[in-house]
Amino acid sequence: MPSKTTTKIKNMLLIGGFVLWGQTSMALEGVYFNPAFSYRTEESTTKLDGGENTYERTHTLLNIGLGYGMGNGLLLGLKYFSDKVEAHSVPFWEDNPGDPAVLETTAIGGSVGFMVDELSLFVSIMAVQAPKRVDEPNNIEYSEGGGTMIDAIYFADMGSWFLGPQLTWRSFDYKSYKNTEDDNDQTADAFISRSESIIEPYISILVFF
């Protein structure tokens, strides 16, 4: 259940945003496509007497919106989210890095947004496909929860499209825990819930058709 602080933040953003939208909203009408992405890679090497251990990690975030602009600043659509981390380490006594460990979270929801000059704000409820978190190395799956995403974007007009930085707050929770390889996992019997709250930066694009 959302905390009082979380509820207050969402209410303030919604109220403040709609007040501004009513004053200076942009009259963009038509189908819109709003992909946002973030990517980073890490590599480290630890040198030892017998050789060296290497570690590599990539983190890819996709935050994609598709919908319709109503012509008065209001945007209605769907939101797809994916957070994928791939990592593998190579000890000095092995030549083959093997398959990477993969941790992936996905969700799909309905989205309401509005544009105020260069600023855009989207609120998405991830209820089409509730957040699902899969931890492949450990054969763990979290699901059956819910999620909310709030995207704040500052767009620069590039002529026929928009480009700008995006900051996204997301809050996901999970009510189910499953070990796909071990039905006797004792954690499943003790599990109550898991929640996460994260703020992440993106580069965002907005195109109207």
Side-chain angles (χ1 to χ4, degrees):
M1 187 174 182
S3 66
K4 292 183 179 180
T5 301
T6 299
T7 302
K8 287 181 180 179
I9 291 173
K10 289 192 284 187
N11 288 341
M12 289 173 62
L13 287 169
L14 287 170
I15 294 171
F18 275 113
V19 169
L20 289 173
W21 165 55
Q23 296 175 349
T24 59
S25 59
M26 297 182 69
L28 296 171
E29 184 174 2
V31 175
Y32 74 83
F33 180 52
N34 175 216
F37 58 91
S38 178
Y39 176 83
R40 75 175 181 269
T41 181
E42 303 171 23
E43 182 175 344
S44 63
T45 301
T46 303
K47 294 185 177 181
L48 305 170
D49 287 339
E52 58 184 36
N53 295 341
T54 61
Y55 173 81
E56 295 178 357
R57 181 176 183 265
T58 61
H59 190 180
T60 305
L61 286 162
L62 296 177
N63 185 337
I64 300 173
L66 178 66
Y68 192 82
M70 307 301 291
N72 56 359
L74 182 64
L75 306 170
L76 301 176
L78 291 174
K79 172 76 69 177
Y80 169 78
F81 172 80
S82 172
D83 179 351
K84 186 174 184 179
V85 178
E86 295 184 73
H88 67 259
S89 59
V90 185
F92 67 86
W93 59 84
E94 291 184 10
D95 295 328
N96 186 358
D99 295 330
V102 179
L103 179 64
E104 184 170 18
T105 303
T106 57
I108 302 174
S111 184
V112 177
F114 40 90
M115 292 190 70
V116 182
D117 295 332
E118 296 87 2
L119 296 176
S120 179
L121 186 70
F122 286 88
V123 178
S124 304
I125 305 300
M126 313 309 284
V128 177
Q129 178 205 299
K132 182 177 180 181
R133 180 183 175 93
V134 178
D135 184 349
E136 289 188 0
N138 299 307
N139 303 308
I140 303 301
E141 180 181 295
Y142 297 92
S143 59
E144 298 182 10
T148 301
M149 298 180 65
I150 297 177
D151 306 312
I153 315 167
Y154 182 84
F155 282 120
D157 191 342
M158 308 301 290
S160 59
W161 55 290
F162 299 87
L163 173 69
Q166 173 175 323
L167 196 63
T168 295
W169 172 83
R170 63 179 169 98
S171 178
F172 288 177
D173 64 87
Y174 309 90
K175 303 301 183 183
S176 172
Y177 170 99
K178 180 181 179 181
N179 188 321
T180 58
E181 294 293 329
D182 183 5
D183 293 334
N184 298 316
D185 187 344
Q186 295 182 356
T187 304
D189 296 329
F191 181 81
I192 298 176
S193 66
R194 173 191 172 94
S195 61
E196 56 190 33
S197 181
I198 304 172
I199 297 177
E200 297 161 325
Y202 295 82
I203 294 296
S204 186
I205 298 171
L206 179 63
V207 182
F208 281 85
F209 299 95

